[in-house]
Amino acid sequence: MLNESETLGILIALAQESRLRILRLLLQELPAGLPAGRIAETLGCTPSTLSFHLGHLERVGLVHSRRRAQSIIYAASPETLSGLIGFLSQDCCGVPGSCLPVVPAPAACGPPQELLEG
């Protein structure tokens, strides 16, 4: 569960249009993520602007990065969003967990396994 300081950092990061757009794009691309160049191209950002925003999102735990050959791949961290929802709803109605469910981080995104097998 996140603490108040971590929650404020996440909310501050999300209160900026470019960072919110980056996070939403990366959530669509779970679990694989996207190379930085593709993010910049999709959102129409310059590399330096994108780097600034990705750094901010990474510092608060909303995205993580990994190197693949010559590229840096960025992916969303849904567990951090789950922690944010949990923090915001922990005292809802005075009964922990009674109003808003904590959304578990997905193991993987895509079609349900039964669709893949059929």
Side-chain angles (χ1 to χ4, degrees):
M1 180 79 61
L2 299 174
N3 64 38
E4 190 172 280
S5 178
E6 293 166 325
T7 299
L8 287 171
I10 291 168
L11 292 173
I12 289 167
L14 291 175
Q16 202 285 334
E17 181 181 359
S18 294
R19 290 192 286 267
L20 185 59
R21 290 177 67 211
I22 292 166
L23 180 62
R24 292 190 69 196
L25 175 64
L26 292 176
L27 285 168
Q28 292 171 19
E29 298 296 328
L30 279 173
L34 289 172
R38 184 101 152 285
I39 299 168
E41 188 178 292
T42 301
L43 298 179
C45 295
T46 64
S48 61
T49 299
L50 180 67
S51 179
F52 170 79
H53 291 306
L54 284 168
H56 199 94
L57 291 169
E58 198 162 18
R59 277 190 296 283
V60 298
L62 289 169
V63 301
H64 60 275
S65 62
R66 66 186 185 283
R67 184 167 286 284
R68 184 178 71 197
Q70 300 296 327
S71 298
I72 298 177
I73 307 299
Y74 289 89
S77 299
E79 59 277 358
T80 301
L81 288 177
S82 180
L84 174 64
I85 292 167
F87 178 85
L88 294 174
S89 64
Q90 75 184 20
D91 296 322
C92 184
C93 299
V95 181
S98 66
C99 293
L100 297 172
V102 174
V103 180
C109 292
Q113 188 63 34
E114 57 271 11
L115 293 179
L116 295 174
E117 294 169 353

